[in-house]
Amino acid sequence: VVSTQSTGTFIVIISKVTMGIPRFGIGTSGLESASVLQDVINAVLPLGVRLLDTAQWYQNEALIAEVLETELPKHDLERKDVFIVSKVHPRNHGYENTMSSTIESISHFGYIDLMLVHWPGMHGSGEHDMKTLRAGTWRALEELQNKGSLKSIGLSNYTVDHMKELLEYATVMPSVLQSEFHPRCHQESVRAFCKEHDIQFMGYTPLGRRDLFEKEIVKDVAVKYSITPSQVLLKWGLQKGAVVIPRSSCPERNVENALSWTDGIELKSEDMDTLDQLNDDHRYCWNPELL
């Protein structure tokens, strides 16, 4: 995986990859304008960013595919050079719905590198047999992976209990679990389960919200290393072994975020421990424990 750019030459650094998955990517939730996507993608590709995270829910899969078709050649890149992550919409749980909706997602990109089940539940979960629906969803993804249309499959927002349930029927183990992750939300039991079962953990919302940026602990660490608070938070996630996927519609902010991955600065263990003290199991997004 390309990790940095120096004097016009890309340097391959194996540590920038985990289980074949780039360690750093960009989220695209809410990015529904071709011009915004073009600006963001053109800002990060020269820095070696190759992972783009989308979802059926975001309603921008087709647009991302169109932008990549026009923009990748400008960087001497092809479809095979980028890593596309998408997710099955919660309303598409169940074998038939997952199969048809995922085939449509695949049609935009030719194939998908990693397809996740976005949520373990759906609207009105109490009215459905979710265990049966989840099993059908996973069976459809397994079949599409066996056909080669999906290179790998995984989960998003699954709890330990949800993952234990999946082990009862899965014939293919998930390669990734994506969930909220930042210094206020460590997900320790989930990450321990992933480590035990060789599942790569991927953290979304790694920057939290403004209140996290403004924590004195975060600002103090940023000053110490002459980096920004966002870069501190992203380095924390990367050094915890997570794949991180920050999201911004601002090209300059995406460059700032990407530099946290390529600048070679590593937080010392005492600073990681200091940031760990922020943990209060706070979630900025929905809590899957309630499903």
Side-chain angles (χ1 to χ4, degrees):
V1 165
V2 179
S3 63
T4 187
Q5 191 177 33
S6 174
T7 64
T9 302
F10 284 110
I11 303 169
V12 176
I13 301 179
I14 195 65
S15 63
K16 297 301 184 184
V17 186
T18 299
M19 298 170 60
I21 302 168
R23 291 290 311 282
F24 185 94
I26 59 170
T28 65
S29 174
L31 305 186
E32 300 172 3
S33 159
S35 61
V36 170
L37 281 166
Q38 286 172 341
D39 290 344
V40 168
I41 288 171
N42 284 318
V44 300
L45 287 179
L47 296 173
V49 177
R50 297 292 180 264
L51 187 154
L52 301 176
D53 178 83
T54 182
Q56 294 172 358
W57 201 339
Y58 304 165
Q59 299 182 37
N60 61 5
E61 290 173 313
L63 185 58
I64 290 172
E66 292 172 7
V67 170
L68 288 174
E69 186 174 3
T70 61
E71 303 308 309
L72 285 175
K74 298 177 183 178
H75 301 271
D76 295 321
L77 298 172
E78 303 175 22
R79 164 65 183 92
K80 64 181 177 61
D81 297 315
V82 293
F83 192 98
I84 301 298
V85 181
S86 193
K87 312 176 198 72
V88 179
H89 197 296
R91 71 183 177 208
N92 291 327
H93 261 299
Y95 178 84
E96 292 82 5
N97 288 339
T98 295
M99 182 64 74
S100 60
S101 66
T102 304
I103 287 174
E104 181 179 354
S105 295
I106 292 165
S107 71
H108 302 307
F109 300 102
Y111 64 91
I112 290 177
D113 299 275
L114 173 62
M115 195 74 181
L116 308 178
V117 184
H118 205 154
W119 281 88
M122 61 192 298
H123 182 68
S125 291
E127 303 171 9
H128 303 279
D129 179 357
M130 286 309 305
K131 182 174 182 178
T132 298
L133 289 174
R134 283 191 289 266
T137 293
W138 193 249
R139 180 163 59 91
L141 295 186
E142 288 180 331
E143 290 181 11
L144 289 168
Q145 182 178 16
N146 288 335
K147 292 178 180 178
S149 301
L150 303 176
K151 301 303 181 183
S152 57
I153 56 179
L155 308 167
S156 180
N157 297 301
Y158 270 48
T159 66
V160 170
D161 286 342
H162 292 130
M163 288 189 284
K164 287 180 177 178
E165 174 196 288
L166 180 133
L167 297 183
E168 297 173 9
Y169 52 74
T171 61
V172 175
M173 282 292 292
S175 59
V176 167
L177 171 71
Q178 184 183 116
S179 198
E180 183 173 350
F181 187 56
H182 45 75
R184 292 191 64 189
C185 184
H186 288 194
Q187 301 271 26
E188 291 174 354
S189 61
V190 167
R191 289 192 296 122
F193 186 92
C194 288
K195 183 177 181 179
E196 178 184 354
H197 294 277
D198 295 321
I199 300 169
Q200 173 60 43
F201 185 82
M202 180 181 292
Y204 69 75
T205 318
L207 301 176
R209 296 290 186 267
R210 181 174 295 276
D211 71 293
L212 189 53
F213 277 73
E214 295 177 349
K215 295 285 187 183
E216 288 301 321
I217 287 175
V218 176
K219 291 193 290 186
D220 288 345
V221 174
V223 169
K224 178 177 178 178
Y225 291 89
S226 298
I227 58 179
T228 66
S230 67
Q231 290 169 336
V232 168
L233 297 171
L234 293 171
K235 287 179 185 296
W236 178 89
L238 288 164
Q239 289 180 220
K240 289 288 187 180
V243 175
V244 296
I245 48 171
R247 173 224 169 268
S248 176
S249 60
C250 173
E252 293 77 17
R253 181 59 58 82
N254 278 289
V255 168
E256 174 189 329
N257 292 341
L259 289 174
S260 68
W261 173 65
T262 62
D263 62 13
I265 297 172
E266 184 170 325
L267 304 182
K268 294 180 179 179
S269 59
E270 58 263 32
D271 297 310
M272 291 289 290
D273 292 343
T274 297
L275 293 166
D276 284 348
Q277 296 173 16
L278 292 171
N279 186 39
D280 58 359
D281 296 320
H282 178 80
R283 293 179 184 269
Y284 295 100
C285 304
W286 293 345
N287 185 356
E289 296 282 353
L290 302 179
L291 294 175

